[in-house]
Amino acid sequence: MKAHDGMYIDGAWRPAAGRDTIEVVNPADEQVIGHVPAGTAEDVDAAVRAARTAFPGWAATPPAERAARLTALRDALAARKDEIAETVTAELGAPLAFSQAVHAGVPVLVAGSYSELAATYAFEEKVGNSTVYQEPVGVVGAITPWNYPLHQIVAKVAPALAAGCTVVLKPAEDTPLTAQLFAEAVAEAGVPAGVFNLVTGLGPVAGQALAEHPDVDMVSFTGSTAVGRRIGASAGAAVKRVALELGGKSANVILPSADLAKAVNVGVANVMSNSGQTCSAWTRMLVPAERYDEAVELAAAAAAKYGDRIGPVVNAGQRDRVRGYIEKGLAEGARLVAGGAEPPREQGYFVSPTVFADVTGEMAIAQEEIFGPVLSILRYEDEEDALRIANGTVYGLAGAVWAGEESEAVAFARRLDTGQVDINGGRFNPLAPFGGYKQSGVGRELGAHGLSEYLQTKSLQF
């Protein structure tokens, strides 16, 4: 894979304003695989000016033509699936099969969904004696994380383009090569110059400059709740639109009537997927007291199968953070039944698939987002106790409920303070809105709800 040594601004690769670069490291073997420019406020300003200049023309482009460009983008991403998967595996460490199916495959589905929505969405409607128009917000600053590098880019950029917005993207510094491949696909798709722009760089420099730029009309950010708060505060001072997809500590609630073995095995797989680096992962498994020991035994056995099947976490800092939480869980009195803090390999940023039993709701490992392959199993006495535990964190991003009857699971799920719940292992739906309650964020991504985030409403009365 070849890294570009410039920024994609106004339809071309241009030299960066400064000379500093960022090393891209393969977390599996700790080898440097490339360098990208460390963008500055000057680079961000150039990208925003290009996006601002391109905005009137793109906003006026008929939705059918915007849809055609998104269809071409979907096809360009599909044609690059193998290269994308290999790049994600190299810079994130995900196993190649997972990169092919999820990291490269899902963004194609999402891009395709927005090509269809751009062509069919009701940008205009009659309401009594009024005509109501849905118009693009303007220039969008998109700041994306490293855990699903292409999916998070497409989930922001595709709806923004469908809405008629122009975009400046600042991707995570750990996974910039995937973002450069996306920029190549945008160019190949014939998206006009300035409509999409890419600036690589560090969050406190390029990210902050983008979020605070006065000509950015909206900031869409996915990442930690702490950073989301700062972006929200800055945007609030400027009365700027924000969409924030933040942290999670999702509960996997197994009701007494559920198929316990299936619920536990699927739950463990969910936590270990992407090496636990998923904001919506069901990292708290809630089990009825009378079946608790059985569930712990099943979970420990399931986790043991993932020892050589998951990749590393993204970098040394993340590895140390996860190991620190494992040590904290032990210090707080949780019982380790699988894995542990000791590194499973001498080289690479690997963490053992870890399961804790005897976890109580006030422990740090039950309250704080770890972002690694660590599962906490909590017991509950009755349904009300399960609800109290499930809703007992500051987060509300996702979750799961298992029961013998679907109606029983739905009734419980409706009482959860969370934005998305899977019922008895429900499948991922790229058209369903994704986003959180409480400190898990503001706004929604995916589907029509995701498109509406990039629109503002105007009514004309006759």
Side-chain angles (χ1 to χ4, degrees):
M1 67 206 68
K2 181 181 181 298
H4 289 277
D5 58 3
M7 309 297 187
Y8 186 76
I9 297 176
D10 203 19
W13 292 97
R14 300 186 174 188
R19 296 183 177 181
D20 291 343
T21 62
I22 298 170
E23 285 187 346
V24 185
V25 176
N26 185 329
D29 60 15
E30 305 179 47
Q31 299 301 304
V32 176
I33 58 174
H35 295 80
V36 298
T40 64
E42 186 178 345
D43 294 307
V44 169
D45 185 63
V48 172
R49 283 189 281 109
R52 176 60 63 195
T53 300
F55 174 65
W58 184 246
T61 300
E65 175 57 23
R66 298 201 296 260
R69 294 307 99 217
L70 285 167
T71 298
L73 176 59
R74 177 203 64 193
D75 294 344
L77 291 173
R80 294 167 177 267
K81 282 178 66 174
D82 289 344
E83 185 180 9
I84 289 168
E86 291 167 1
T87 301
V88 173
T89 291
E91 61 182 356
L92 178 64
L96 184 58
F98 187 80
S99 291
Q100 290 169 334
V102 177
H103 288 294
V106 171
V108 173
L109 295 177
V110 174
S113 75
Y114 280 113
S115 68
E116 295 175 9
L117 273 169
T120 60
Y121 192 83
F123 291 99
E124 176 183 338
E125 64 174 335
K126 292 288 187 179
V127 180
N129 66 307
S130 301
T131 301
V132 179
Y133 297 91
Q134 299 295 324
E135 299 181 341
V137 169
V139 175
V140 174
I143 303 174
T144 56
W146 44 260
N147 60 326
Y148 288 90
L150 184 59
H151 169 67
Q152 294 289 353
I153 290 170
V154 172
K156 297 182 188 305
V157 176
L161 299 189
C165 297
T166 55
V167 179
V168 177
L169 169 68
K170 204 299 285 184
E173 51 263 36
D174 290 289
T175 54
L177 303 182
T178 301
Q180 290 188 342
L181 288 178
F182 178 79
E184 292 176 1
V186 167
E188 186 178 317
V191 175
V195 171
F196 170 81
N197 307 273
L198 169 68
V199 176
T200 55
L202 301 175
V205 180
Q208 183 172 341
L210 181 59
E212 296 180 353
H213 198 290
D215 277 337
V216 169
D217 301 295
M218 174 181 174
V219 179
S220 180
F221 168 78
T222 296
S224 72
T225 297
V227 175
R229 288 194 194 101
R230 293 198 293 271
I231 289 174
S234 172
V239 195
K240 184 180 297 188
R241 178 86 67 90
V242 295
L244 304 173
E245 199 268 280
L246 307 176
K249 194 67 184 177
S250 301
N252 179 18
V253 183
I254 304 174
L255 296 176
S257 62
D259 180 336
L260 184 68
K262 181 178 181 181
V264 169
N265 282 311
V266 173
V268 171
N270 176 277
V271 173
M272 302 307 161
S273 176
N274 210 41
S275 302
Q277 300 169 126
T278 304
C279 53
S280 57
W282 312 332
T283 52
R284 295 181 297 145
M285 181 179 289
L286 278 57
V287 181
E290 62 272 19
R291 305 197 70 182
Y292 187 79
D293 291 342
E294 182 184 357
V296 168
E297 185 176 343
L298 287 167
K305 298 176 183 177
Y306 287 88
D308 57 358
R309 290 167 54 186
I310 66 172
V313 295
V314 70
N315 56 40
Q318 187 63 19
R319 176 200 59 197
D320 295 344
R321 168 187 166 86
V322 176
R323 292 176 62 190
Y325 270 107
I326 295 172
E327 291 168 352
K328 186 178 293 186
L330 290 169
E332 290 181 323
R335 176 165 56 96
L336 189 67
V337 297
E342 290 302 311
R345 306 186 191 185
E346 291 185 2
Q347 188 178 44
Y349 309 130
F350 289 88
V351 178
S352 295
T354 297
V355 178
F356 279 109
D358 300 340
V359 179
T360 57
E362 71 279 2
M363 291 180 180
I365 58 172
Q367 288 290 322
E368 300 173 18
E369 185 174 46
I370 299 172
F371 229 58
V374 181
L375 171 66
S376 296
I377 309 179
L378 299 89
R379 59 166 56 83
Y380 67 84
E381 298 302 325
D382 54 29
E383 192 169 300
E384 292 304 313
D385 191 36
L387 185 68
R388 176 189 62 80
I389 296 169
N391 287 339
T393 76
V394 299
Y395 299 111
L397 185 56
V401 181
W402 301 79
E405 294 293 333
E406 183 178 287
S407 58
E408 180 187 3
V410 169
F412 189 92
R414 291 296 304 274
R415 302 171 71 194
L416 290 174
D417 296 333
T418 190
Q420 191 172 76
V421 185
D422 293 343
I423 303 298
N424 288 339
R427 292 177 293 115
F428 171 74
N429 179 0
L431 297 178
F434 179 78
Y437 287 16
K438 302 189 287 188
Q439 293 188 29
S440 284
V442 177
R444 293 295 181 268
E445 293 186 330
L446 303 180
H449 291 80
L451 175 57
S452 68
E453 293 290 335
Y454 299 91
L455 295 168
Q456 54 191 352
T457 305
K458 177 185 289 180
S459 64
L460 275 60
Q461 285 59 250
F462 296 89

